[in-house]
Amino acid sequence: MKAILALEDGTWFAGQSFTGPGEAGGEVIFNTGMSGYQEILTDPSYYGQMVCMTYPLIGNYGVNLEDVESSRIHCPALIVKECCKEPSNWRSKESLPDYLKRHGIMGLEGIDTRALTRHLRIHGAMRGIISTADLTPEELVAKAAALPSMEGANLVDFVAPKEPYYWDGTGPVPATMDGDLPLWPENSEGSLRVIVYDYGIKWNILRLLAAENLTILVVPPTFPVHLVKKLAPNGIFLSNGPGDPATLTEAIAIIRELCELYPVGGICLGHQLLGIALGGTSFKLKFGHHGINHPVRDDITRKIEISSQNHGFCVDISNLDFLELTHLNLNDQTLEGFRHKTKPIFSVQHHPEAGPGPHDSQYFFARFRRMVETGQVQ
Ligand SMILES: NC(=O)CC[C@H](N)C(=O)O
């Protein structure tokens, strides 16, 4: 079925919908991973973003039950050169088109994804509409231009939990409550206890925190500090998530207080919020970093890591002399991580949990555990 992708700047591409009739809108970005489409689709940080995969054949290993990063798909649409309709893999339970259809997500194929990617690289990520409706490209361009911009978008409420929960190894389980106070999981006295702020967390982060033998209690973005104090955790973790970090003023104010009280670590949106809470500012990157082969230098070990990345914003902490830059992106020299010079606080912009991607940065979780245990960043 014919479908058109129209961008806000007037550019448009004609292709085919492989998910039937429909319409979807959002910020159009590209991801350079050759695989990992299932993790990308279910990563809540992609909420509101239509992802164009630069690799030309997507879907050939199908969809399985294990590779999910949350319980649903968050991208409004997936854009590919060619979608494989007959997957072949021992773990596959469903084809990519069936999976997208079951979740009501648009799939567009048959466009020149290389031309689209080059366009976004030159002109920056922009709003777009994909539609099978009988509308002219000009009408669709006007619709795309009327969509809300990613800059200034507060999207966390669409993906974050409303209530505290535990992680049982495979999914979230509602926390036992005493009034408005969630309780730590049973028999967790004596273990290292971490409160995880969930702004749209990827499950692999929870899997890897749990693998460090940390007891986890996951809470919503505006979980108040007075309840944190009652729970007396050993540390705080701030998750990834969608949208513009600067809009999350309540979460930022909470983090600012928490930094005075506990060891704090963060990933991606969590890193950005931490940077802003400590006095930095955020800005939008031209087309963002979305892929699984981004080189990062860890200035603590002087090692180079190939990392998984997915972010459209970045933080500037250059005027804060109490923070030390620990990680640098070697593609564009942007900030990838920092630590506090005197307090147990550190974070990274990339995704050490991979899901999808290489495992070079997974030491983050052991480093986080050591910080929670010793009160010092090493
Ligand atoms: N993966 C994330 O946490 C993304 C953070 C933020 N929404 C950004 O695009 O920069």
Side-chain angles (χ1 to χ4, degrees), residues 272 274-282 315-320 322-323:
Q272 296 167 350
L274 191 52
I276 299 170
L278 292 169
T281 51
S282 62
V315 279
D316 179 2
I317 53 152
S318 53
N319 59 338
L320 305 176
F322 54 89
L323 295 182

Side-chain angles (χ1 to χ4, degrees), residues 43 45 49 239-245 267-270 272 310-314 349 351:
D43 174 351
S45 325
Q49 291 177 315
S239 87
N240 64 294
D244 184 342
I267 290 177
C268 213
L269 183 76
Q272 296 167 350
N310 168 32
H311 57 110
F313 293 86
C314 193
Q349 177 66 80
H351 286 275

Side-chain angles (χ1 to χ4, degrees), residues 4-143:
I4 287 179
L5 164 65
L7 302 178
E8 61 175 293
D9 70 348
T11 313
W12 57 275
F13 298 81
Q16 292 88 42
S17 162
F18 59 89
T19 49
E23 188 164 299
E27 184 183 47
V28 185
I29 54 161
F30 60 88
N31 184 302
T32 52
M34 288 188 288
S35 61
Y37 49 86
Q38 198 179 339
E39 293 93 323
I40 291 166
L41 289 165
T42 55
D43 174 351
S45 325
Y46 280 107
Y47 186 92
Q49 291 177 315
M50 307 204 290
V51 181
C52 168
M53 300 297 291
T54 59
Y55 189 71
L57 176 61
I58 295 293
N60 44 336
Y61 57 87
V63 170
N64 61 55
L65 299 176
E66 296 86 26
D67 292 348
V68 286
E69 287 300 328
S70 71
S71 61
R72 62 191 174 93
I73 297 181
H74 300 278
C75 302
L78 184 69
I79 303 166
V80 299
K81 174 80 182 78
E82 182 185 346
C83 176
C84 171
K85 319 284 184 307
E86 288 171 37
S88 171
N89 185 276
W90 64 278
R91 293 195 304 157
S92 176
K93 294 279 182 287
E94 195 174 21
S95 73
L96 180 57
D98 287 347
Y99 180 59
L100 292 176
K101 270 187 243 171
R102 193 159 56 77
H103 286 264
I105 305 297
M106 287 229 49
L108 175 71
E109 69 174 339
I111 71 157
D112 184 345
T113 47
R114 187 156 56 172
L116 172 61
T117 301
R118 286 171 64 89
H119 190 76
L120 298 176
R121 271 187 65 101
I122 294 164
H123 302 285
M126 59 183 90
R127 292 162 284 183
I129 288 267
I130 299 173
S131 181
T132 59
D134 195 15
L135 295 171
T136 65
E138 292 69 30
E139 286 169 320
L140 291 171
V141 166
K143 271 191 151 186

